[in-house]
Amino acid sequence: MGTLIQNGTVVNADDRKRADLLIEDGKISEVRAGIDPASHTIVDATGLLLLPGGVDAHTHMDMPFGGTISADDFLTGTRAAAIGGTTTIVDFAIQARGTRMRDAFDIWRGKAEGKACIDYGLHMIVTDLGSDAGKQGLHDMDDMVREGVASFKLFMAYPNVLMVDDGTIFKALQQTAKNGALICMHAENGSVIDTIVQQTLAEGKTAPIYHALTRPTIAEAEAVNRCIAMAEIAGTPVYIVHLSSEDALNQVREARDRGLPAFAETCPQYLLLSLEDHMPGKSFEEAKYVFTPPLREKKNQPKLWDGLVHDHLQVVSTDHCPFCFADQKVLGKDDFTKIPNGGPGVENRMQVIYHHGVNAGKITLERFVEITSTAPARIFGMYPKKGLLAKGSDADVILWDPNAEHVISAATHNMRVDYSMFEGWRVNGNARMVFSRGELIVDGGRYIGVEGRGQYLRREARGGAWQ
Ligand SMILES: [Zn+2]
């Protein structure tokens, strides 16, 4: 006896069809028209779309940053994600300098266990390959791959905190050429930016807008170009996280046009918010929009959408990293470098990309499924378990109501943060019901699952098999 979802339209990245979908033992057991209702529990999906659960490959729950901690932990963050139609996240464990990657892995598993409401994987942020010419660190990377950590993130920005030098990046890239994992890159030229930041502070410029004005798009493009070049020399793919500008996108597009396995994600904030609209330089309130890379000029937005349409960009993730305005963002009241970097988004990604992408006619419904679910599942070694509605896949299914009207607001959202980046936005299209491994966990905007039911995902290092 299973759960039979009838009368809906089943949408995957490559097609849509009217079909019934049967869930048994947490998996999808059949997708076709006219499945015998037998003794199954029936769910009527008339007028609704069945989408694979969203996969958000870039979140930071319970993350220390600049003397504070991101406001959502794995409980509140994944519960909010589920309500918004996301059934899988990949979060980042951070290796503290001078410690082993396994230490960070254990700490982050500890943060998530008993709290995560949806399935989660972990990337490992590498800050230190050790003092023996990297031998221990590279060995640790292989160790992590065996634990299902199929991707690593390195920083070309934040000198003295997270930034690593090109030699370290190159060694890590070479290691993934052997072990099949994927390097994710925060691509901004940290040394140049840090110099501009120091000069700007010395001129007495401390407002939030200077966070944006000290991080030129060319510093992003330069780092994207450099890391793709290093990946090409190492003979391995690379994935650029939170790409924000046309200049940076041009580098990815040129590499892909040459046939290189360069991949990139962008985020809703870069597609939908801008320097002109949200950071005019008038008040400290603008600290709500301090994240990195920063907000860009509006002219970048159509270029990023165009990149999504033409597959120069493959994924939309959130970089969800919320800090409350009242007691966290305010740490940078007199100095923009002390504003915790990040914004909330995990609950709203599917809503705003559906509304401003599909409803606005910019992307097809199938492409929406691809960039929010299928592509990240593939790239990060979870496909076809995640990212697909087909026999054998996990029954992570959203019943999406394309006509539901929803007003986004901090007053009603489920993220544990006191503001919304999309306050007052009216969107059409929202999750009506959400199943995770066959369990109904969200019904009518309420989380009804057991807290902590989410499972750690051991991801496969695919060595480019997903290209
Ligand atoms: Zn991030």
Side-chain angles (χ1 to χ4, degrees):
M1 137 129 200
T3 301
L4 180 63
I5 306 174
Q6 291 183 319
N7 307 318
T9 299
V10 175
V11 187
N12 277 310
D14 57 357
D15 82 325
R16 73 181 89 174
K17 59 184 180 212
R18 289 295 297 273
D20 299 340
L21 185 147
L22 182 60
I23 299 171
E24 289 176 304
D25 301 323
K27 302 266 184 199
I28 297 170
S29 59
E30 238 184 322
V31 183
R32 68 173 169 86
I35 298 174
D36 179 3
S39 57
H40 304 310
T41 305
I42 305 292
V43 176
D44 181 22
T46 300
L48 304 180
L49 305 173
L50 275 60
L51 312 178
V55 176
D56 190 340
H58 191 152
T59 66
H60 300 281
M61 309 301 176
D62 202 352
M63 188 196 82
F65 187 98
T68 186
I69 296 174
S70 62
D72 272 317
D73 63 10
F74 275 83
L75 172 59
T76 62
T78 59
R79 194 169 54 197
I83 291 167
T86 289
T87 52
T88 301
I89 60 165
V90 190
D91 206 271
F92 292 85
I94 306 176
Q95 177 208 17
R97 286 212 169 127
T99 72
R100 304 291 291 268
M101 293 177 205
R102 181 162 290 278
D103 301 331
F105 178 72
D106 291 343
I107 290 169
W108 258 264
R109 286 291 303 274
K111 288 173 188 274
E113 276 316 294
K115 286 191 170 179
C117 297
I118 55 175
D119 294 348
Y120 69 98
L122 292 172
H123 310 279
M124 178 61 61
I125 292 177
V126 176
T127 58
D128 184 359
L129 288 179
S131 53
D132 54 350
K135 251 190 228 144
Q136 176 184 286
L138 298 174
H139 173 271
D140 279 4
M141 286 176 70
D142 291 348
D143 182 37
M144 287 296 101
V145 168
R146 286 189 290 272
E147 291 287 0
V149 176
S151 44
F152 298 86
K153 182 182 181 191
L154 288 91
F155 283 79
M156 301 170 90
Y158 299 119
N160 305 315
V161 187
L162 296 166
M163 189 169 119
V164 289
D165 62 20
D166 288 353
T168 300
I169 292 169
F170 186 63
K171 282 178 196 163
L173 283 162
Q174 286 181 315
Q175 199 66 12
T176 62
K178 292 184 219 155
N179 67 23
L182 180 63
I183 297 289
C184 304
M185 197 68 71
H186 179 125
E188 282 186 304
N189 187 317
S191 303
V192 167
I193 288 169
D194 209 39
T195 301
I196 301 173
V197 165
Q198 295 313 322
Q199 291 166 349
T200 302
L201 282 175
E203 290 168 18
K205 295 169 174 167
T206 61
I209 189 177
Y210 292 104
H211 172 77
L213 300 184
T214 53
R215 310 186 86 90
T217 55
I218 301 170
E220 185 184 20
E222 183 281 322
V224 168
N225 177 59
R226 182 158 35 108
C227 81
I228 292 174
M230 287 189 278
E232 184 177 7
I233 298 168
T236 197
V238 68
Y239 179 94
I240 313 296
V241 296
H242 51 45
L243 186 139
S244 69
S245 67
E246 179 188 10
D247 286 341
L249 176 61
N250 287 342
Q251 302 298 327
V252 175
R253 191 186 59 241
E254 283 168 22
R256 291 179 62 82
D257 284 350
R258 286 202 291 125
L260 292 178
F263 301 88
E265 67 179 18
T266 188
C267 311
Q269 52 271 36
Y270 305 118
L271 292 161
L272 298 168
L273 309 177
S274 68
L275 201 52
E276 292 95 323
D277 289 346
H278 299 89
M279 197 168 271
K282 296 208 170 105
S283 82
F284 184 73
E285 285 264 318
E286 294 164 25
K288 292 173 178 174
Y289 301 99
V290 166
F291 34 72
T292 305
L295 279 180
R296 302 300 194 184
E297 290 175 84
K298 218 170 190 162
K299 65 179 185 188
N300 290 280
Q301 291 174 0
K303 305 295 180 181
L304 295 176
W305 281 107
D306 190 63
L308 285 171
V309 170
H310 294 104
D311 203 36
H312 307 136
L313 296 172
Q314 291 71 45
V315 172
V316 175
S317 302
T318 58
D319 198 6
H320 176 80
C321 191
F323 295 99
C324 288
F325 181 74
D327 59 348
Q328 295 187 296
K329 289 287 188 181
V330 80
L331 293 169
K333 194 130 188 54
D334 304 312
D335 177 351
F336 68 88
T337 66
K338 298 202 164 60
I339 301 170
N341 284 200
V346 77
E347 184 173 346
N348 304 126
R349 180 182 66 130
M350 305 291 279
Q351 297 159 351
V352 295
I353 298 301
Y354 185 86
H355 185 81
H356 293 279
V358 180
N359 288 347
K362 290 195 179 78
I363 53 172
T364 64
L365 185 54
E366 288 82 356
R367 184 63 178 158
F368 170 74
V369 166
E370 187 159 31
I371 62 180
T372 58
S373 178
T374 310
R378 265 185 213 273
I379 289 172
F380 291 106
M382 299 176 278
Y383 185 88
K385 182 179 167 70
K386 306 296 188 188
L388 178 70
L389 297 180
K391 181 179 162 71
S393 293
D394 280 1
D396 292 1
V397 186
I398 318 173
L399 270 59
W400 187 264
D401 182 348
N403 300 312
E405 191 175 275
H406 179 67
V407 178
I408 298 172
S409 172
T412 50
H413 74 197
N414 297 278
M415 299 176 285
R416 192 163 64 191
V417 59
D418 61 359
Y419 73 97
S420 170
M421 297 200 294
F422 312 108
E423 184 64 40
W425 286 27
R426 196 173 288 274
V427 292
N428 286 103
N430 202 3
R432 168 93 60 91
M433 288 181 178
V434 178
F435 292 86
S436 166
R437 279 179 281 102
E439 264 177 65
L440 181 63
I441 60 167
V442 173
D443 192 0
R446 277 190 34 246
Y447 183 78
I448 57 170
V450 174
E451 293 177 353
R453 58 170 294 287
Q455 294 178 355
Y456 172 68
L457 286 164
R458 302 180 72 86
R459 297 181 294 119
E460 284 173 61
R462 308 280 277 273
W466 32 266
Q467 286 169 38

